[in-house]
Amino acid sequence: MSANSLDRGAVWKKLGAPTDQIGSVNDPRTSEEHGQRWNEKWVYLDEDSGQVERIVLWNRYDLLGVFRVNADGSVETESLAD
């Protein structure tokens, strides 16, 4: 199963509730980040450090990507495939 075939419920089940959310599924405003134009961003913080460890980008109901945020601020695409 590719990341793009995962729906919101499946991502929530795999990763849990995000720490923070920017935008919403119905927000018409878009932003661009990591080569993706999104209108909703789920942010996951590391419990110990409080630093961003993962972001999930959505455009409406379409999953655009899951990105692991490294300690140096760089990001890499993360697969949620089983």
Side-chain angles (χ1 to χ4, degrees), residues 8 21-30 39-40 58-61:
R8 298 166 73 80
Q21 178 181 322
I22 301 166
S24 74
V25 69
N26 294 316
D27 191 342
R29 295 171 294 178
T30 59
N39 71 324
E40 183 175 3
W58 300 91
N59 187 10
R60 302 258 178 215
Y61 291 96

Side-chain angles (χ1 to χ4, degrees), residues 17 31 33 38 60 65:
S31 298
E33 191 171 347
W38 58 271
R60 302 258 178 215

